[in-house]
Amino acid sequence: NAGVTQTPKFQVLKTGQSMTLQCAQDMNHNSMYWYRQDPGMGLRLIYYSASEGTTDKGEVPNGYNVSRLNKREFSLRLESAAPSQTSVYFCASSEGQGLNEKLFFGSGTQLSVL
Amino acid sequence: AQSVTQLDSQVPVFEEAPVELRCNYSSSVSVYLFWYVQYPNQGLQLLLKYLSGSTLVESINGFEAEFNKSQTSFHLRKPSVHISDTAEYFCAVRGYGDDKIIFGKGTRLHILP
């Protein structure tokens, strides 16, 4: 049982380049999330998806796009990377609302934009 | 919209001393509240949560948090900390009927020998 799998683990981009961060979960969760973690800023929500076929903006969506390809996969795309997007990115999925509510996190992607 | 304020970015405390990590939230609707912990070089994991019922919730490793609706707070406490509690602690909130989960900026707990 792999849980939440993110790829790649590390990436270095030049300003203006594009890339897609991949996330997949094997727990049959409906809700999936993308966060970025920066020192002193905590985790900030970029986008989330409450169910297959739906996506919504979070706190800091500018410069990002997402795709909920199916129930398992939720990708994050940077169309034109900027140095301000240097961060650690975490994907998470949720067991759902109720007594079992809990976020499961991937191991993160460390992205540097030069 | 919901928001979370963690007033202390760092908290130093001596081993075996008590600790309180503060969390205040803002919301126009009722909320669910969470504390997550990130140990050094690890991912985040759920420590405890308040969904409904008793306002005092506990974790398996001795932490507890109390939901105070009038003060819009969900402070995390432990009566006696151990060196293994060294970590960053994040408070999070979700509003009723919403799927969006918002985190605070985190509090680093430093355990002094």
Side-chain angles (χ1 to χ4, degrees):
Chain A
N1 193 342
V4 179
T5 303
Q6 287 183 239
T7 56
K9 292 191 185 301
F10 302 94
Q11 184 71 48
V12 178
L13 293 178
K14 295 180 179 178
T15 297
Q17 287 185 316
S18 62
M19 79 160 296
T20 299
L21 280 67
Q22 306 287 351
C23 176
Q25 50 92 8
D26 61 2
M27 296 172 282
N28 201 37
H29 290 167
N30 284 318
S31 299
M32 297 186 74
Y33 304 80
W34 276 106
Y35 291 92
R36 60 178 288 176
Q37 184 177 22
D38 303 288
M41 299 298 292
L43 277 82
R44 290 182 290 172
L45 181 63
I46 304 171
Y47 272 93
Y48 65 105
S49 170
S51 61
E52 182 180 354
T54 68
T55 60
D56 286 287
K57 294 179 180 180
E59 301 170 278
V60 289
N62 291 344
Y64 305 94
N65 286 301
V66 290
S67 295
R68 183 75 183 265
L69 304 170
N70 47 55
K71 193 170 186 179
R72 290 187 65 248
E73 298 172 288
F74 188 40
S75 62
L76 178 72
R77 183 161 178 83
L78 287 70
E79 291 290 352
S80 178
S84 62
Q85 295 178 305
T86 293
S87 188
V88 180
Y89 292 84
F90 287 99
C91 178
S93 68
S94 175
E95 195 159 325
Q97 301 179 13
L99 289 176
N100 293 324
E101 179 163 358
K102 175 182 176 180
L103 282 172
F104 291 80
F105 284 87
S107 58
T109 296
Q110 193 164 322
L111 175 66
S112 294
V113 183
L114 306 177
Chain B
Q2 290 77 43
S3 66
V4 175
T5 302
Q6 291 184 247
L7 295 167
D8 305 302
S9 59
Q10 296 189 68
V11 173
V13 61
F14 286 103
E15 196 168 12
E16 298 183 5
V19 69
E20 178 180 83
L21 305 183
R22 296 180 292 171
C23 171
N24 288 89
Y25 69 91
S26 174
S27 177
S28 57
V29 300
S30 297
V31 296
Y32 301 111
L33 292 157
F34 309 86
W35 276 98
Y36 282 82
V37 58
Q38 186 176 33
Y39 297 104
N41 301 313
Q42 294 187 28
L44 283 87
Q45 54 188 283
L46 180 68
L47 186 61
L48 49 75
K49 61 188 176 187
Y50 169 77
L51 301 180
S52 63
S54 173
T55 57
L56 184 66
V57 292
E58 299 176 351
S59 72
I60 58 172
N61 59 349
F63 282 94
E64 64 178 32
E66 186 161 19
F67 171 56
N68 188 319
K69 188 174 180 180
S70 63
Q71 298 189 7
T72 61
S73 67
F74 190 55
H75 301 331
L76 182 69
R77 302 184 182 95
K78 189 170 186 181
S80 176
V81 297
H82 189 266
I83 194 74
S84 60
D85 294 322
T86 298
E88 190 160 18
Y89 294 79
F90 295 92
C91 185
V93 63
R94 181 171 68 79
Y96 276 17
D98 196 353
D99 290 285
K100 189 162 52 178
I101 301 174
I102 302 300
F103 282 79
K105 292 185 177 182
T107 299
R108 287 192 179 275
L109 179 60
H110 294 282
I111 309 299
L112 306 171

